[in-house]
Amino acid sequence: MLNIGGLHEGVVIDHIKAGGAMKIYNYLNMEKWDTEIAIIKNASSSKMGSKDIIKFEGKLVVDLDMLGVFDPNITFNIIQNNEIVEKRKVRMPEVVENIMQCVNPRCITSIEQELPHKFVLSDRTNLVYRCVYCEQRFKG
């Protein structure tokens, strides 16, 4: 079994669906972060079978609830002085902007490319977002 060291101060993003860590890494532009980052792919999990985990050292600088668009089962732990000080699940954001793109070729965002790609949560149970301009469905 692989063992990745603990964090003195940082965040552990856990319970990511197996194979989803790189989407989150890219969305958060973590390649530009000047900090230690560990990505653990396909870690064994009694609940999920396998999962991905991201650990990074340093203070939290982003809104992690936006990660609910990628996977609503994600949890994150905030570590301070080698101890977990907060543990919580992400919340599905009601409105997301520029995380996903509308695939409808007739949507105004296809023509007016400077417009933000904006979606509203329309069905929390089935993880469905809809484009605010054309109501195109996007299932997370």
Side-chain angles (χ1 to χ4, degrees), residues 27 66 69-70 95-102 109 113-119 133:
Y27 167 69
M66 287 306 204
V69 172
F70 298 102
V95 178
V96 294
E97 194 170 301
N98 294 327
I99 292 179
M100 49 203 157
Q101 292 188 343
C102 187
T109 58
Q113 295 183 355
E114 68 278 352
L115 282 177
H117 290 264
K118 199 169 184 180
F119 289 80
Y133 305 109

Side-chain angles (χ1 to χ4, degrees), residues 44-72:
S44 58
S45 167
S46 58
K47 290 181 181 178
M48 302 173 67
S50 65
K51 65 181 179 178
D52 289 358
I53 303 167
I54 300 174
K55 293 182 172 186
F56 61 90
E57 190 77 34
K59 294 203 180 276
L60 184 63
V61 294
V62 295
D63 178 11
L64 292 179
D65 281 327
M66 287 306 204
L67 301 181
V69 172
F70 298 102
D71 184 348

Side-chain angles (χ1 to χ4, degrees), residues 6-43:
L7 297 173
H8 176 68
E9 184 173 325
V11 177
V12 177
I13 304 171
D14 199 358
H15 300 103
I16 304 167
K17 194 179 310 174
M22 290 310 294
K23 287 181 189 174
I24 292 170
Y25 180 88
N26 292 329
Y27 167 69
L28 295 175
N29 290 317
M30 292 178 118
E31 71 276 0
K32 295 180 181 175
W33 292 15
D34 188 25
T35 186
E36 293 180 23
I37 300 170
I39 297 174
I40 302 129
K41 295 184 68 170
N42 299 316

Side-chain angles (χ1 to χ4, degrees), residues 5-11 56-58 78-84:
L7 297 173
H8 176 68
E9 184 173 325
V11 177
F56 61 90
E57 190 77 34
I78 298 176
I79 314 295
Q80 291 177 351
N81 297 321
N82 298 316
E83 292 190 21
I84 298 173

Side-chain angles (χ1 to χ4, degrees), residues 103-122:
V103 296
N104 180 357
R106 294 182 182 192
C107 182
I108 188 70
T109 58
S110 297
I111 299 163
E112 301 290 334
Q113 295 183 355
E114 68 278 352
L115 282 177
H117 290 264
K118 199 169 184 180
F119 289 80
V120 176
L121 182 62
S122 64

